[in-house]
Amino acid sequence: MELFDDEPENTETASNAHEFTVSEISGAVKRSIEDQFGRVRVRGEVGRVSRPASGHLYFDLKDDRSVLNAVTWKGQAARLITRPEEGLEVIATGKLTTFPGQSKYQMIVDQIEPAGAGALMMMLEKRKKALAAEGLFDESRKRPLPYLPEVIAVVTSPSGAVIRDILHRLRDRFPSRVLLWPVAVQGQDCAPQVTAAIRGLNALEKGGPIPRPDLIIVARGGGSLEDLWGFNEESVVRAAAESQIPLISAVGHETDTTLIDYASDRRAPTPTAAAEIAVPVRADLALRLGEMHSRMGRAARARIEHPGQRLRDLSRALGRPQSLTDPARQRFDLFAGRLEPALRQFTRTRRERLNALGLPVALLRSFTRSGTQRLAALTQKLAPATKRGLTLRQERIQRLGQSLTNSRARLLGEASRGLTRNRDTFEKLTTRLDAAMTRSLQPRRERLDRLDRLRQTLGYRETLKRGFAVVHGPKGLLTSVETARQTPAFEIEFHDGRLPAQPASPPEPAPAKPRKKKSDGQQSLF
């Protein structure tokens, strides 16, 4: 009977308990966990990381004993400064919740930060090796910088001292046109904005409303590893490596190193040094231009003088036409002077020989007559031959003289044409050089005038004309009433001059009123 009595009691007890549905239990557990752990920070090592096509991030946070599932939704994942990577120790911030579909709890993460500098350095080295393996840091892909860029784009913060240092150094060395692309240089917006700036500058077309730069400078001042972390992001490094415009990285001070330094075409230790690398010194360039102008003038003169000297050397080698005929004329005069005495001696010798033979006079006369006739005939025969020889020699001498005159005229003509061509070329080059100098100096002169007008407009003297004044003391400007009271004498500067002044003496204190004596009667109740 006791057994039968116990069974109904157990059945009645079980029937009085509330029956929960699976969804009610899951909801109660969810509310309990979310109420107890509304906002938590969890430190752990990132385990499995999953990035599906939906854009959400799924990963594990683990230590040596437990594993916590974590998820970051698509909208929050795009704003993460640090992306979870397997093996990285991080501090995740978010809230705990449950996933009823699998009866498990998980953490919704909306912020991730590395757990110390050691974790950052480890992640930096891992990323550096991965990008280097793709060839993004190879020296062979780096482009040379332009010698004299016309437009320089600076990607930096518009309110920092970096842009002022760069503009000041460019103004001192070689004033150039600067195109500023303002970006955030730290924080979660740094990497997306710098990436967009580099790719946007490369997308500009030549001849468009915004000039396409010849050089890009990405600059930022010094800071901690966390402050400079935006320039270590993979998107920034890839944008710098893909840039078709030469890029100078000037992030941080000389000891600071970021991944964009390896992907850029040139690294500058400071932003000021980047400006020095970008443009040459204007005075040195003017000096070099003057030296090149002098060299061009000397080369042009040598080009003109060399053919003339060559012609004079050839003329000396040819000799004078008269020098060719003088020896022949001298020999002719010598033989002509010796011919008459020789004939007389020949006649005298023959006559003496005839006289020695003792022949009759008639025979001698006939012999002499015949000899004279023979001599006359011989002379008549010899004269044409002598004249012909002299004529041939004279004609030959004339031909040689004419050939020499033609050669000299031809050489002079060629030299004159060469000089004319060189003179025309020199004049064209001189005209082009003058035009190039005018085109180069005109925009710089206009920019200098605009900057001078801006200086005059923003100067403090223009402010004085609007009714303000500046107080000068012996040791500098006076900016407070207390300092002016302690200064024995000072000057007040207006827009049209200065006026000496002295501080007003403090008013004398009023004499104290005498107290009324109380009467000896009844005292005052007060």
Side-chain angles (χ1 to χ4, degrees), residues 147-164:
Y147 178 70
L148 189 60
E150 294 183 2
V151 180
I152 301 175
V154 180
V155 179
T156 188
S157 172
S159 60
V162 171
I163 184 62
R164 293 195 296 271

Side-chain angles (χ1 to χ4, degrees), residues 197-492:
I198 297 175
R199 290 176 175 168
L201 290 172
N202 279 270
L204 294 176
E205 297 181 357
K206 292 184 178 180
I210 300 178
R212 179 181 174 88
D214 302 312
L215 182 67
I216 299 176
I217 299 177
V218 179
R220 187 208 188 279
S224 62
L225 181 61
E226 291 80 3
D227 294 338
L228 304 178
W229 190 256
F231 298 93
N232 292 319
E233 292 295 339
E234 183 177 348
S235 61
V236 175
V237 177
R238 292 188 181 278
E242 296 168 359
S243 175
Q244 298 299 321
I245 303 174
L247 187 142
I248 298 178
S249 171
V251 178
H253 294 308
E254 188 169 359
T255 57
D256 298 327
T257 303
T258 55
L259 294 184
I260 193 176
D261 296 336
Y262 299 99
S264 61
D265 299 300
R266 185 77 176 270
R267 178 187 180 269
T270 60
T272 304
E276 295 177 355
I277 295 173
V279 295
V281 180
R282 179 172 51 184
D284 296 343
L285 189 60
L287 180 61
R288 184 177 178 185
L289 185 61
E291 293 177 354
M292 294 178 67
H293 188 272
S294 300
R295 289 180 58 188
M296 186 172 63
R298 290 194 298 269
R301 287 193 296 272
R303 181 71 175 176
I304 295 173
E305 294 173 355
H306 180 72
Q309 183 65 35
R310 178 65 175 168
L311 181 60
R312 288 191 293 271
D313 295 341
L314 292 175
S315 300
R316 286 195 296 268
L318 290 175
R320 297 180 300 167
Q322 186 179 358
S323 63
L324 299 176
T325 60
D326 285 344
R329 186 181 292 109
Q330 186 176 2
R331 288 196 301 270
F332 179 74
D333 295 338
L334 178 61
F335 292 148
R338 294 170 57 185
L339 180 60
E340 185 177 357
L343 290 175
R344 290 178 181 177
Q345 182 65 29
F346 178 76
T347 304
R348 188 181 302 110
T349 303
R350 291 290 183 179
R351 184 178 290 113
E352 290 176 357
R353 290 179 62 183
L354 288 173
N355 292 333
L357 292 175
L359 295 176
V361 177
L363 183 61
L364 289 176
R365 287 179 179 177
S366 62
F367 181 76
T368 302
R369 188 180 299 112
S370 63
T372 302
Q373 292 175 354
R374 290 178 61 189
L375 180 61
L378 182 62
T379 303
Q380 290 179 357
K381 291 181 180 180
L382 182 61
T386 303
K387 186 181 293 186
R388 263 196 320 273
L390 292 175
T391 303
L392 292 175
R393 291 198 175 191
Q394 187 176 3
E395 291 176 354
R396 183 181 180 188
I397 290 173
Q398 290 177 355
R399 287 196 302 273
L400 290 175
Q402 185 65 33
S403 177
L404 179 61
T405 302
N406 295 337
S407 300
R408 184 174 184 179
R410 187 172 61 257
L411 291 175
L412 288 174
E414 293 177 357
S416 178
R417 287 192 295 272
L419 292 177
T420 302
R421 288 194 300 270
N422 293 335
R423 187 180 298 108
D424 294 341
T425 304
F426 180 72
E427 291 177 354
K428 291 180 182 178
L429 291 177
T430 303
T431 303
R432 290 177 59 189
L433 181 61
D434 294 340
M437 288 294 294
T438 302
R439 288 195 303 272
S440 178
L441 293 178
Q442 184 63 28
R444 289 169 175 78
R445 187 178 294 108
E446 293 176 356
R447 178 176 174 81
L448 182 62
D449 294 339
R450 290 197 300 271
L451 291 177
D452 185 65
R453 290 195 297 271
L454 181 61
R455 176 188 63 80
Q456 294 178 2
T457 302
L458 300 180
Y460 81 99
R461 296 189 181 277
E462 297 295 329
T463 306
L464 296 180
K465 293 181 180 179
R466 294 197 294 270
F468 294 88
V470 180
V471 182
H472 298 272
K475 297 183 179 179
L477 298 179
L478 302 181
T479 58
S480 64
V481 176
E482 186 63 28
T483 307
R485 286 177 178 173
Q486 297 177 2
T487 304
F490 48 83
E491 292 182 348
I492 302 177

